[in-house]
């Protein structure tokens, strides 16, 4: 753990000035359509380094932002593809994705993306898309939280449309069963194993009580408390999320073993019925996905390799390229 932190700290410092060097742990990208690794090599050579430097500064004051950028990437790519539609502000007559209750107020880090974009605009005006900034931020967050580095193809362009109503139509809620999660990810071209693998992102970050408190107090007609929740863990969660506390919405770590490290401990906690969200535990209790959870719990390095591959694939979802869309001047509004 200490060595990962040291590696991560030096990586962010050293690479703040150069975008070309890479640390040792590295996986090749899977080939993906028209996106390409090093897309800005000639047009804005320090693009990736500028994003990384901005994140480095932000992580110093709020390490929890790494989880936000992973989630932001998922929420952007599953709704209208990876087109930075999640970054657009609501306008008169249109509520944008970021103001859907799924994202607001729980999703943070928009200000950091805006800072990175401002830095990029100062050096390379209207060259680097906001969609690529999100993809770089997610990649750097994975490295920050796990020590695993991967190349992420770029060349995405920004969309001009964002509707809050499309968020719940595309993103799975935490109450989904395994077959529902499988169907939701299959619609986006992901296999069952890729879905289980990507769920390992819940190895960092937090959930607000409102996302799982039904498991503690109002599960179903027969059981007030979810019988698939370890009773000791449920008792702990009740201290964090008191019943009827509607004014505040406290939060709890998604991974109770290593809450700040992106690793396979998330899967290990599912084996002891300590998955926080019902959609997490469902991956272990369903025979459709149980074997994959067991494998990921056992073979951490294999999971890591599959995870970065699936992250690259996620980043190629329904992307705009070439002359499609635009390169926004600021990420929160269309040009
Ligand atoms: C499999 C279906 C998924 C469901 C049902 C789901 C649902 C959720 C929910 C309900 C939360 C807590 C929100 C809150 O109360 O604050 C959350 C947090 C999070 N999700 Fe997911 N998610 C899923 C998949 C993913 C994927 C694929 C990724 C990324 C690749 C991801 C990344 C995260 C992260 C990092 C957090 C913590 C955010 C933070 O600390 O601010 N999730 N997710």
């Amino acid at each position: 753990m200490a060595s990962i932190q040291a590696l991560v700290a030096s990586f962010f410092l050293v690479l703040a000035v150069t975008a070309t060097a890479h640390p040792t742990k590295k996986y090749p990208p899977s080939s993906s359509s028209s996106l390409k690794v090093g897309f800005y090599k000639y047009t804005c050579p320090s693009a990736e380094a500028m994003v990384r430097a901005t994140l480095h500064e932000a992580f110093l004051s709020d390490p929890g932002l790494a989880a936000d950028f992973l989630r932001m990437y998922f929420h952007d790519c599953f709704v209208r593809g990876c087109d930075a539609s999640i970054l657009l502000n609501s306008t008169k007559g249109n509520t944008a994705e970021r103001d859907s209750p799924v994202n607001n107020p729980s999703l943070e880090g928009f200000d950091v993306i805006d800072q990175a974009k401002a830095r990029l605009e100062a050096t390379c005006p209207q060259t680097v898309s906001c969609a690529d900034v999100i993809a770089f931020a997610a990649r750097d967050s994975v490295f920050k939280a796990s020590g695993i580095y991967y190349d992420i193809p770029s060349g995405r362009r920004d969309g001009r449309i964002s509707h809050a109503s499309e968020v719940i139509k595309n993103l799975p809620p935490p109450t989904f069963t395994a077959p529902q999660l499988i169907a939701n990810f299959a619609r986006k071209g992901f296999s069952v194993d890729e879905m289980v693998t990507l769920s390992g992102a819940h190895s960092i970050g937090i959930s607000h009580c409102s996302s799982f408190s039904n498991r503690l107090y109002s599960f179903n007609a027969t059981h007030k408390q979810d019988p698939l929740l370890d009773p000791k863990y449920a008792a702990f969660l009740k201290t964090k999320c008191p019943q009827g506390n509607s004014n505040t919405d406290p939060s709890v770590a998604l991974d109770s073993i290593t809450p700040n490290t992106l690793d396979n401990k998330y899967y290990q906690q599912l084996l002891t019925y300590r998955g926080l969200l019902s959609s997490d535990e469902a991956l272990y209790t369903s025979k459709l996905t149980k074997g994959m959870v067991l494998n990921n719990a056992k073979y951490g390095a294999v999971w890591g390799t599959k995870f970065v591959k699936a992250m690259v694939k996620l980043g190629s979802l329904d992307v705009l390229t070439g002359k499609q869309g635009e390169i926004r001047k600021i990420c929160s509004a269309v040009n």
Side-chain angles (χ1 to χ4, degrees):
M1 179 63 193
S3 62
I4 287 184
Q5 278 165 347
L7 180 68
V8 168
S10 58
F11 172 69
F12 275 95
L13 279 173
V14 172
L15 293 200
V17 286
T18 160
T20 48
H22 297 303
T24 45
K25 250 174 160 182
K26 184 174 171 235
Y27 299 92
S30 62
S31 59
S32 73
S33 60
S34 46
L35 302 179
K36 121 177 183 228
V37 172
F39 182 82
Y40 299 109
K41 194 170 168 189
Y42 301 109
T43 53
C44 190
S46 53
E48 297 189 34
M50 283 193 268
V51 174
R52 191 177 293 128
T54 310
L55 255 64
H56 173 66
E57 286 158 22
F59 288 152
L60 291 177
S61 53
D62 185 358
L65 281 169
D68 283 291
F69 295 129
L70 245 71
R71 188 166 177 240
M72 184 184 282
Y73 181 62
F74 172 49
H75 286 201
D76 184 38
C77 294
F78 257 48
V79 184
R80 280 190 175 269
C82 313
D83 66 344
S85 51
I86 192 152
L87 301 179
L88 290 174
N89 277 338
S90 294
T91 52
K92 212 169 169 215
N94 180 56
T95 308
E97 288 172 30
R98 69 189 272 172
D99 288 325
S100 151
V102 174
N103 294 321
N104 188 356
S106 59
L107 186 59
E108 296 175 349
F110 294 97
D111 53 333
V112 179
I113 298 288
D114 288 344
Q115 283 162 24
K117 176 64 171 169
R119 215 163 181 161
L120 289 163
E121 285 301 297
T123 314
C124 326
Q126 267 187 281
T127 306
V128 182
S129 69
C130 298
D132 280 342
V133 175
I134 297 178
F136 296 146
R139 182 269 308 272
D140 294 343
S141 296
V142 168
F143 183 75
K144 153 105 178 117
S146 70
I148 301 174
Y149 182 85
Y150 59 96
D151 284 328
I152 183 79
S154 48
R156 297 166 191 81
R157 291 174 63 89
D158 299 323
R160 294 177 51 84
I161 300 167
S162 177
H163 298 308
S165 57
E166 293 179 351
V167 174
I168 45 164
K169 288 184 194 145
N170 288 283
L171 285 169
T175 47
F176 261 14
T177 60
Q180 288 173 317
L181 292 168
I182 290 169
N184 177 274
F185 275 69
R187 269 175 56 200
K188 306 286 179 183
F190 287 92
S191 70
V192 182
D193 192 55
E194 285 169 333
M195 183 275 287
V196 174
T197 296
L198 280 172
S199 298
H202 287 178
S203 158
I204 55 168
I206 50 143
S207 171
H208 290 84
C209 295
S210 53
S211 301
F212 60 85
S213 56
N214 67 310
R215 300 186 75 196
L216 304 174
Y217 303 112
S218 54
F219 188 61
N220 62 25
T222 337
H223 300 281
K224 279 189 175 160
Q225 190 172 302
D226 186 345
L228 287 178
L229 190 58
D230 168 47
K232 277 198 185 135
Y233 184 51
F236 162 77
L237 292 175
K238 283 178 173 169
T239 67
K240 295 283 173 192
C241 309
Q243 192 170 18
N245 196 348
S246 57
N247 293 336
T248 61
D249 191 4
S251 54
V252 179
L254 281 159
D255 174 349
S256 52
I257 307 177
T258 51
N260 304 315
T261 308
L262 184 63
D263 58 17
N264 69 331
K265 300 285 190 299
Y266 158 82
Y267 298 99
Q268 293 174 10
Q269 73 175 351
L270 303 184
L271 313 190
T272 56
Y273 299 95
R274 286 171 171 240
L276 186 60
L277 306 178
S278 139
S279 52
D280 291 325
E281 200 56 63
L283 301 178
Y284 181 60
T285 54
S286 166
K287 62 179 188 316
L288 299 171
T289 44
K290 184 174 189 158
M292 297 163 197
V293 169
L294 288 169
N295 270 327
N296 291 338
K298 199 166 174 192
Y299 305 108
V302 177
W303 167 77
T305 308
K306 286 193 299 177
F307 182 73
V308 297
K309 216 176 151 204
M311 285 292 281
V312 171
K313 178 168 172 178
L314 182 55
S316 68
L317 208 54
D318 300 331
V319 288
L320 302 172
T321 54
K323 292 194 181 341
Q324 296 170 315
E326 63 184 20
I327 304 292
R328 282 181 215 149
K329 291 181 193 150
I330 56 168
C331 291
S332 55
V334 297
N335 291 340

